[in-house]
Amino acid sequence: MNPVLKSFDLSGRTALITGSSAGIGFALARGLAGAGARVILNARSTDKLEQAAARLREEGATVFTAAFDVTSGEAVNPAIERIEAEIGPIDILVNNAGMQRRGPLDQFEEAHWHELMKTNLDSVFLVGKAVAKHMIPRGRGKIVNICSVQSELGRPGIAPYTASKGAVKMLTKGMAIDWGQHGIQVNGLGPGYFKTELTDALVKNPEFTAWLVGRTPSRRWGDVEDLVGAAVFLASEASNFVNGHILYVDGGVTATL
């Protein structure tokens, strides 16, 4: 194989993708599997996981499932230990689990704030730390944290989400600083506006879609498949000297006012 192409090959690697029973997480799992990785799907619902795994197995992927709550350290730590012991070393971690809640900031409920932060931020810390404890002795590993254009930009009605994704960006940099010396690369992948279950209401809103398409240099919504190439790059040896970087896949939204 051409050395350049070989650097993107994930054969023999095992990737854990959190929140991967649907949407962006599922697309990333499919993409990493297509590049040769064994993938471990994660979500809280066993039924949804098995359905997602079956779809990937029909495509020839090697797939495992791990149902656990990424917002709970009491659930995360034994789950990672179990994966390492029963499936094998986690070479690639994609911290994708996330949620959105919209509403005026002055009316935003405290319980919803904590729920959003636990899902979007705490999970990255908890799963990242648990996996890194195994990567550090091995002297290698790839961690990809799913950020957002809202790691850089604000929009009305989503201040808590923006806060959470801005924090994920800075946690990514902190992880890279602390763990880079151990041969681990930690980077962020920042999607723009993509057609997923989380954005379905916005996709169906003609006014918002017209605004977004006009605001986006590529003049369209993103399709989840648009994220795959960037994810494979950050998960592969091709990015061995890329650390603490946030790669925005947004059709140019962050480039324009």
Side-chain angles (χ1 to χ4, degrees), residues 45-60:
S45 169
T46 301
D47 290 343
K48 289 183 178 179
L49 275 180
E50 291 305 327
Q51 291 171 14
R55 289 173 61 190
L56 293 184
R57 289 179 184 129
E58 288 175 358
E59 299 172 5

Side-chain angles (χ1 to χ4, degrees), residues 26-257:
F26 180 79
L28 296 181
R30 171 184 269 160
L32 297 182
R38 305 192 311 161
V39 296
I40 305 167
L41 304 183
N42 157 263
R44 283 185 279 196
S45 169
T46 301
D47 290 343
K48 289 183 178 179
L49 275 180
E50 291 305 327
Q51 291 171 14
R55 289 173 61 190
L56 293 184
R57 289 179 184 129
E58 288 175 358
E59 299 172 5
T62 301
V63 186
F64 303 88
T65 60
F68 62 91
D69 181 359
V70 295
T71 70
S72 165
E74 292 180 354
V76 167
N77 292 326
I80 297 305
E81 294 296 327
R82 190 162 54 250
I83 290 170
E84 288 272 336
E86 297 177 4
I87 298 175
I90 299 170
D91 303 294
I92 301 159
L93 167 64
V94 180
N95 276 312
N96 169 75
M99 67 173 296
Q100 173 65 293
R101 281 194 180 275
R102 297 179 172 86
L105 183 58
D106 57 296
Q107 299 173 29
F108 206 84
E109 295 184 18
E110 182 179 350
H112 289 166
W113 167 275
H114 291 301
E115 178 190 30
L116 193 149
M117 290 297 167
K118 283 179 65 177
T119 304
N120 292 359
L121 179 60
D122 292 5
S123 66
V124 177
F125 164 71
L126 292 170
V127 183
K129 183 179 72 168
V131 171
K133 284 183 176 180
H134 292 274
M135 289 180 169
I136 288 170
R138 293 194 285 264
R140 60 181 174 81
K142 300 281 186 175
I143 298 177
V144 181
N145 296 328
I146 303 304
C147 298
S148 168
V149 291
Q150 266 75 50
S151 296
E152 301 290 341
L153 306 173
R155 282 280 300 158
I158 58 168
Y161 179 83
T162 301
S164 73
K165 288 300 185 178
V168 172
K169 177 186 76 169
M170 296 312 298
L171 180 56
T172 298
K173 292 177 182 291
M175 288 176 167
I177 293 165
D178 281 7
W179 299 338
Q181 62 186 308
H182 302 295
I184 301 170
Q185 290 83 54
V186 188
N187 293 289
L189 180 60
Y193 284 85
F194 281 75
K195 296 177 182 177
T196 69
E197 293 88 341
L198 288 178
T199 60
D200 187 59
L202 296 178
V203 173
K204 292 176 179 177
N205 183 323
E207 183 179 356
F208 183 87
T209 290
W211 171 84
L212 177 66
V213 170
R215 170 77 165 72
T216 304
S218 294
R219 294 295 185 265
R220 65 176 177 87
W221 280 86
D223 295 314
V224 289
E225 290 76 18
D226 292 323
L227 292 165
V228 170
V232 170
F233 167 65
L234 294 177
S236 71
E237 293 182 358
S239 61
N240 277 353
F241 203 56
V242 180
N243 216 358
H245 177 71
I246 313 301
L247 175 54
Y248 291 101
V249 182
D250 63 359
V253 165
T254 53
T256 182
L257 289 173

